[in-house]
């Protein structure tokens, strides 16, 4: 793949999911636990378990795309299953999801060593992730991330919105052109960062094909240790 090559990098931003860690469908499982609670309190399933999982994944995809917040996603889910007081399950869902982080979220190999290297070089870091808190902050703690954690639900905008990346540049107190953003998703992470004036580093851990119709990444890494050669 032809890349432009990194310019001077004075700060690094990161996506979280599938970049710094893998959450193993944590939120899907949290919804399945709500489904069990709904059935215990007079609610009902809609079809088979496989069909329920398909509906949950569709609901989460729309929530992550910004169609509605996680609170509304939980209420929609419970209403559809015949639970009248769906609002009471929002806190339960969040508690379940956050408590699952320790057992579900697996840090990417080398993430802690990579973060230690950046600290030694005094390079500011921050996470910019689509999602909600306190879940995303807890995921960051799981990999011993010590910098700011910017989450779309708190910002009121999400990647690839240029204003989300502007908030990242402000958090690391660095001009956008000298910030590298590392993420696994070509459109929202790499192209979004480049459109906001940053350097977009594609984390390709699976040997995927980069979309030809998007701006090419500044650099490509296949494991987090490779970041050391770029900063």
């Amino acid at each position: 793949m032809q890349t432009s090559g990194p310019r001077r990098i004075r700060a690094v931003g990161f996506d979280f999911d599938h970049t710094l860690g893998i959450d193993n469908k944590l939120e899907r499982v949290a919804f399945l636990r709500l489904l069990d609670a709904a059935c215990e309190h007079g609610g009902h399933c809609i079809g088979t378990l496989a069909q329920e999982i398909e509906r949950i994944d569709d609901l989460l995809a729309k929530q992550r795309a910004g169609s509605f917040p996680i609170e509304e996603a939980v209420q929609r889910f419970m209403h559809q299953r015949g639970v009248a007081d769906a609002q009471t399950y929002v806190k339960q869902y969040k508690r379940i999801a956050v408590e699952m982080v320790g057992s579900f979220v697996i840090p990417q190999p080398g993430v802690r060593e990579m973060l230690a290297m950046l600290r030694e070089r005094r390079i500011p870091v921050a996470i910019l992730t689509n999602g909600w808190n306190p879940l995303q902050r807890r995921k960051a703690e799981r990999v011993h991330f010590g910098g700011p954690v910017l989450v779309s639900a708190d910002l009121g905008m999400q990647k690839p919105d240029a204003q989300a990346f502007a908030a990242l540049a402000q958090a690391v107190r660095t001009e956008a052109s000298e910030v590298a953003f590392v993420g696994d998703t070509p459109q929202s992470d790499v192209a979004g960062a480049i459109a906001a004036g940053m350097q977009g580093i594609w984390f390709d851990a699976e040997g995927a094909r980069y979309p030809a119709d998007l701006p090419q990444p500044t650099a490509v890494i296949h494991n987090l240790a490779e970041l050391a050669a770029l900063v």
Side-chain angles (χ1 to χ4, degrees):
M1 177 189 300
Q2 188 70 33
T3 61
S4 60
R7 304 181 296 277
R8 181 183 183 186
I9 295 174
R10 294 184 53 219
V12 181
F14 294 95
D15 173 45
F16 185 87
D17 295 301
H18 300 280
T19 299
L20 298 182
I22 306 294
D23 74 1
N24 292 294
K25 305 294 184 182
L26 179 156
E27 290 186 84
R28 173 204 281 176
V29 177
F31 268 107
L32 288 172
R33 293 185 178 177
L34 276 195
L35 176 63
D36 185 44
C39 292
E40 284 189 352
H41 295 89
H44 55 268
C45 294
I46 306 175
T48 66
L49 186 57
Q51 290 171 328
E52 284 285 16
I53 289 173
E54 185 176 348
R55 291 188 180 94
I56 289 169
D57 288 349
D58 180 65
L59 183 71
L60 283 169
K62 290 175 180 175
Q63 179 262 316
R64 290 166 182 158
S67 298
F68 40 78
I70 191 63
E71 293 83 359
E72 184 176 338
V74 172
Q75 291 181 60
R76 287 186 180 201
F77 182 79
M78 298 305 281
H79 275 308
Q80 289 168 358
R81 282 142 194 87
V83 177
D85 191 11
Q87 172 62 34
T88 62
Y89 287 87
V90 172
K91 288 185 179 179
Q92 182 177 346
Y93 172 82
K94 289 184 175 182
R95 175 182 56 77
I96 291 171
V98 172
E99 288 177 352
M100 289 166 57
V101 168
S103 55
F104 271 68
V105 174
I106 306 300
Q108 285 281 6
V111 63
R112 296 183 179 114
E113 293 81 359
M114 179 271 297
L115 292 173
M117 175 273 295
L118 293 175
R119 284 195 299 271
E120 289 174 2
R121 299 185 186 183
R122 297 184 179 181
I123 295 175
V125 296
I127 287 173
L128 174 62
T129 177
N130 291 344
W132 53 274
N133 272 327
L135 179 63
Q136 296 303 99
R137 280 200 305 265
R138 181 68 188 91
K139 289 181 182 180
E141 291 169 4
R142 178 78 174 89
V143 302
H144 299 175
F145 191 87
V149 180
L150 283 65
V151 180
S152 61
D154 298 333
L155 294 174
M157 64 193 77
Q158 59 186 48
K159 300 177 294 181
D161 191 313
Q163 291 303 309
F165 287 98
L168 172 67
Q170 185 175 12
V172 294
R173 300 181 181 182
T174 305
E175 291 293 326
S177 62
E178 295 182 321
V179 178
F181 189 77
V182 182
D184 68 295
T185 306
Q187 183 171 11
S188 60
D189 293 333
V190 181
I194 291 172
M198 294 183 177
Q199 303 178 56
I201 298 178
W202 186 34
F203 178 50
D204 175 26
E206 300 179 358
R209 183 182 297 275
Y210 192 88
D213 60 342
L214 292 179
Q216 293 301 293
T218 308
V220 180
I221 60 174
H222 302 284
N223 60 70
L224 293 176
E226 293 177 0
L227 189 61
L230 302 178
V231 299

